[in-house]
Amino acid sequence: MACVISATSSNSGKTLLSLLLTSCLKSKNQKVQTFKVGPDYLDPQQLSAVSKTACRNLDLVLSGEKWVKESFNYFGGLSDFSLVEGVMGLFDGIGSGTKGSTAELAKVLGLPIVLIIDARGKSASLAALIKGFKEYDKELRIAGVVLNNVQTIRHEKILLEVLNHINIKSLGCLPYCNDLNLPTRHLGLAPAHEILDLKIKVEKWASIAKNYLDIQSFKNLLSPPKSKYKTVNFFSKTNSGLLHPIAIAEDEAFHFRYQETKELLEINNMPTIIWKPLEDKEIPKEAKGLIIPGGFPELHAKQLSNSKTSLKSIQIFSKKFPIYAECGGMMLLGKSIFDLDGNEYSMAGILPFKARKGSLKIGYREILSKNKSPITKPGDKLIGHEFHRWELINERYNSGIKALWNAKGWNIETKNEGFCNDLVHASWIHLHWASSPKILENWKKSVINCSLK
């Protein structure tokens, strides 16, 4: 029943192997459901683009075990093949522990592991590495290994002898070549829309998979779960009432969004409308709420700053209807953004700060709401995730804009974070709406109340 593609460390080739397998299976007109462990947005974009089916995040920390099991079994059960791409190294979780790790997810779902290992500079040491991973947690089953960046035919022969000596099955050896290099950005892989000639790449990936991977063994490992679920019960539904359309910013600058957010809104009488701030247009007039997800606004700061119609529209909208903004979306609401070259560009000016490049901030956050926002009430407790390389300067709170919540993470002191009033929610922290019913409940109340005014 499916398997998990994992690795000994980040940057070993998990996404590459997942893309190769998906490309190969899609070339045979098979439906492939992909999943991604953890809160990642970029890897799922690429997997979704190749599979033509939305990749689903499986995050035990954000969503909980029940939600993860139901999502995996329902969506996986609708496919011909299912695969789960892990996060970081197999055992890497919160802090120095394994909570939230790929290993924990594999045990919860009862799935075998396929390890992809960067073979550069390795020969007999490969045995010690694999045996260490096998011995560390004997509850896990490692079904086989794929070797990445194999340098020569001689190198491959050596590595296969090593695997044979420790009785580990080889599921393929991938050569070092340009066709297997995936473009990257400062937060990881490049967004799917930046991949040039995707169709041609998918054809090459399918061919490479057939030539270098044990596809028949993978087909056996990637069989879908036999789901007893006929619906997704974790979606709370409203079947009556007026429609309240929600605009969602979605273009090259803003595209970090969980698939379930849109689905959740639409089955609760809030049909979504795509709005592209970079096209310098007003927010659709029928919209009764606005969601601005994260992304890379710093790469488009000049164009956003010149999109005066878009910025003015946000200013007007913020006085009438609720706005929810995460990470890069929050940066759009500030006074200005400094791009990667240090040039400053004005933004919507709703929130009192400027944004510039800073140090990496990453990790899960436990949050306790201090003030009311469109999705929270004072005292609400949530779990979110922070991942960015930006910082706010000249920030301050005032009578109109208050601190959103207290946030703390592993080895990080509790601090004020985010900005809010009754109509604006803005934070570095990403939330998974579908697994937190109180978010949708508060949002819908806010939208309806504003619509009645």
Side-chain angles (χ1 to χ4, degrees):
M1 182 182 74
C3 73
V4 179
I5 306 299
S6 189
T8 55
S9 67
S10 294
N11 301 316
S12 296
K14 296 187 300 293
T15 305
L16 172 63
L17 177 56
S18 299
L19 290 171
L20 291 174
L21 290 169
T22 303
S23 298
C24 182
L25 295 171
K26 287 295 292 182
S27 72
K28 301 297 184 181
N29 295 318
Q30 302 293 304
K31 182 176 182 181
V32 184
Q33 178 61 61
T34 59
F35 298 91
K36 173 66 182 181
V37 180
D40 195 294
Y41 293 102
L42 292 168
D43 294 6
Q45 283 187 20
Q46 298 206 7
L47 292 171
S48 298
V50 174
S51 69
K52 308 299 182 184
T53 301
C55 179
R56 305 278 171 172
N57 291 74
L58 302 176
D59 193 317
L60 290 166
V61 179
L62 289 184
S63 308
E65 183 174 320
K66 182 177 183 297
W67 195 97
V68 164
K69 284 182 175 179
E70 192 166 335
S71 180
F72 172 74
N73 284 297
Y74 174 75
F75 290 108
L78 299 175
S79 65
D80 297 311
F81 296 97
S82 295
L83 69 84
V84 181
E85 182 192 331
V87 62
M88 299 187 289
L90 177 57
F91 299 106
D92 298 325
I94 296 177
S96 59
T98 59
K99 182 176 176 59
S101 68
T102 302
E104 183 187 29
L105 187 283
K107 288 195 287 187
V108 165
L109 296 179
L111 303 180
I113 304 290
V114 171
L115 282 179
I116 181 164
I117 298 175
D118 189 336
R120 283 176 292 190
K122 294 182 179 66
S123 56
S125 296
L126 179 66
L129 181 66
I130 296 173
K131 290 180 72 173
F133 271 71
K134 283 190 67 177
E135 293 295 318
Y136 188 80
D137 189 338
K138 294 183 179 179
E139 293 182 38
L140 293 172
R141 179 170 76 90
I142 296 180
V145 169
V146 172
L147 301 172
N148 191 21
N149 291 315
V150 177
Q151 304 296 298
T152 62
I153 294 176
R154 180 175 180 273
H155 187 209
E156 178 180 341
K157 183 178 180 180
I158 292 171
L159 295 171
L160 292 177
E161 286 185 2
V162 171
L163 293 182
N164 186 54
H165 288 160
I166 59 173
N167 197 29
I168 289 290
K169 183 173 183 177
S170 168
L171 292 170
C173 295
L174 298 174
Y176 179 83
C177 68
N178 290 333
D179 287 334
L180 296 179
N181 289 334
L182 301 179
T184 61
R185 281 280 182 203
H186 53 281
L187 291 182
L189 292 181
H193 63 257
E194 292 186 13
I195 301 177
L196 301 177
D197 301 319
L198 179 61
K199 184 177 180 180
I200 295 174
K201 282 185 167 60
V202 168
E203 292 174 354
K204 287 183 178 179
W205 290 338
S207 177
I208 290 171
K210 293 169 188 174
N211 291 330
Y212 293 97
L213 297 177
D214 183 348
I215 295 300
Q216 187 54 54
S217 291
F218 269 113
K219 283 183 176 180
N220 295 333
L221 284 168
L222 299 178
S223 60
K226 295 179 180 179
S227 176
K228 63 182 180 181
Y229 299 100
K230 303 302 180 185
T231 60
V232 275
N233 296 317
F234 49 77
F235 281 148
S236 59
K237 301 178 182 179
T238 301
N239 297 317
S240 61
L242 298 173
L243 297 179
H244 297 89
I246 305 298
I248 298 181
E250 187 174 307
D251 56 21
E252 287 81 2
F254 305 102
H255 45 82
F256 291 178
R257 175 178 56 79
Y258 294 119
Q259 172 69 17
E260 292 83 2
T261 302
K262 183 177 180 180
E263 294 168 344
L264 185 67
L265 291 168
E266 292 188 341
I267 65 173
N268 280 275
N269 294 339
M270 290 179 278
T272 59
I273 312 165
I274 299 304
W275 174 58
K276 300 180 182 294
L278 286 173
E279 292 186 356
D280 197 21
K281 295 180 180 178
E282 292 183 352
I283 298 167
K285 295 186 182 302
E286 60 269 37
K288 306 301 180 185
L290 171 64
I291 294 175
I292 314 175
F296 295 119
E298 66 274 13
L299 301 181
H300 307 274
K302 183 176 181 179
Q303 187 176 350
L304 286 169
S305 185
N306 289 333
S307 298
K308 303 302 182 184
T309 301
S310 294
L311 296 177
K312 182 65 176 178
S313 182
I314 296 173
Q315 294 166 357
I316 295 171
F317 197 90
S318 70
K319 298 175 183 178
K320 298 179 180 179
F321 298 107
I323 296 177
Y324 175 87
E326 285 184 346
C327 203
M330 177 179 69
M331 291 165 62
L332 180 66
L333 300 184
K335 290 183 176 180
S336 64
I337 293 176
F338 291 85
D339 68 11
L340 294 173
D341 296 320
N343 301 308
E344 184 177 6
Y345 296 98
S346 60
M347 295 292 136
I350 296 169
L351 300 179
F353 62 78
K354 298 181 178 183
R356 68 182 181 189
K357 188 177 180 181
S359 58
L360 177 64
K361 309 291 192 307
I362 183 171
Y364 292 101
R365 302 290 183 257
E366 297 178 9
I367 42 189
L368 175 64
S369 179
K370 299 181 65 174
N371 294 293
K372 185 179 182 302
S373 85
I375 68 150
T376 61
K377 296 179 291 187
D380 283 349
K381 295 180 180 180
L382 294 167
I383 300 291
H385 189 266
E386 185 174 2
F387 187 19
H388 59 92
R389 292 184 183 274
W390 292 80
E391 64 180 3
L392 304 182
I393 58 174
N394 300 334
E395 62 177 310
R396 65 183 186 279
Y397 299 108
N398 53 49
S399 58
I401 298 292
K402 299 178 181 179
L404 177 56
W405 45 35
N406 289 328
K408 66 176 180 179
W410 184 84
N411 204 31
I412 296 175
E413 293 183 0
T414 301
K415 64 177 182 178
N416 285 340
E417 200 280 333
F419 302 84
C420 71
N421 59 29
D422 286 354
L423 294 178
V424 174
H425 173 111
S427 170
W428 286 124
I429 297 172
H430 299 274
L431 299 174
H432 193 273
W433 282 37
S435 56
S436 301
K438 67 179 66 176
I439 295 177
L440 178 71
E441 180 183 337
N442 291 330
W443 173 257
K444 191 165 188 178
K445 286 180 181 178
S446 180
V447 169
I448 291 174
N449 289 338
C450 290
S451 299
L452 294 175
K453 292 179 180 178

